[in-house]
Amino acid sequence: GACRGNPGPGGWGAILVYNGHEKELSGGHPETTNNRMELTAVITALAALKEPCEVTLTSDSKYLVDAISRGWLDSWRKNGWRKADRSEVLNVDLWQKLITQLERHKVTFVWVHGHAGHEYNERCDVLATTFADSL
């Protein structure tokens, strides 16, 4: 996910890799946030899979990966979309769409540093920024 301003024009990119084949996906919105673009990338990529799959999902978004790996998403959901400090969770609409995909697929989340040379992460960044810049 990328955003020119936060909020501002944003883009997202995802690359599906399977059995030596790759499919690039991208999109964006003229007024959004980086976190919304990160979530949209994951939701769209998982929704593009034609059948339930075991997925290794690599992302540079701590917001996304921590929400899953640290159990925040489960807690937010159980607490009526409230965080530990009782404030409202942002992007509930997208988290709910992600939950639908996580119920469909077995997903392992892997966090990588952004802009650190990870081939697919770098390509996704180009997809996202190119789309954001086109808006």
Side-chain angles (χ1 to χ4, degrees):
C3 209
R4 301 301 191 209
N6 204 18
W12 59 266
I15 303 169
L16 302 176
V17 180
Y18 177 73
N19 203 19
H21 299 280
E22 297 178 359
K23 181 176 183 175
E24 293 184 349
L25 306 170
S26 63
H29 194 274
E31 185 70 15
T32 190
T33 66
N34 186 64
N35 285 339
R36 288 190 69 80
M37 293 293 89
E38 296 284 359
L39 287 166
T40 300
V42 172
I43 294 162
T44 306
L46 292 173
L49 301 174
K50 295 177 181 171
E51 59 188 56
C53 297
E54 286 189 32
V55 176
T56 300
L57 194 146
T58 305
S59 175
D60 64 3
S61 171
K62 290 290 278 177
Y63 175 68
L64 168 70
V65 175
D66 284 353
I68 305 299
S69 64
R70 295 179 181 236
W72 300 344
L73 180 57
D74 291 334
S75 294
W76 296 340
R77 189 176 182 190
K78 288 176 190 167
N79 293 327
W81 297 105
R82 298 271 176 192
K83 296 188 273 186
D85 67 2
R86 305 305 299 151
S87 64
E88 291 183 17
V89 172
L90 300 176
N91 306 310
V92 172
D93 59 326
L94 296 177
W95 288 115
Q96 289 171 330
K97 288 178 182 180
L98 179 58
I99 288 167
T100 299
Q101 294 304 319
L102 295 178
E103 290 171 346
R104 184 172 169 240
H105 304 290
K106 182 181 179 199
V107 183
T108 301
F109 286 82
V110 176
W111 179 79
V112 296
H113 284 277
H115 312 288
H118 184 282
E119 176 189 359
Y120 291 114
N121 185 258
E122 297 292 342
R123 284 176 51 197
C124 285
D125 186 62
V126 169
L127 291 169
T129 56
T130 300
F131 207 97
D133 291 342
S134 75
L135 299 171

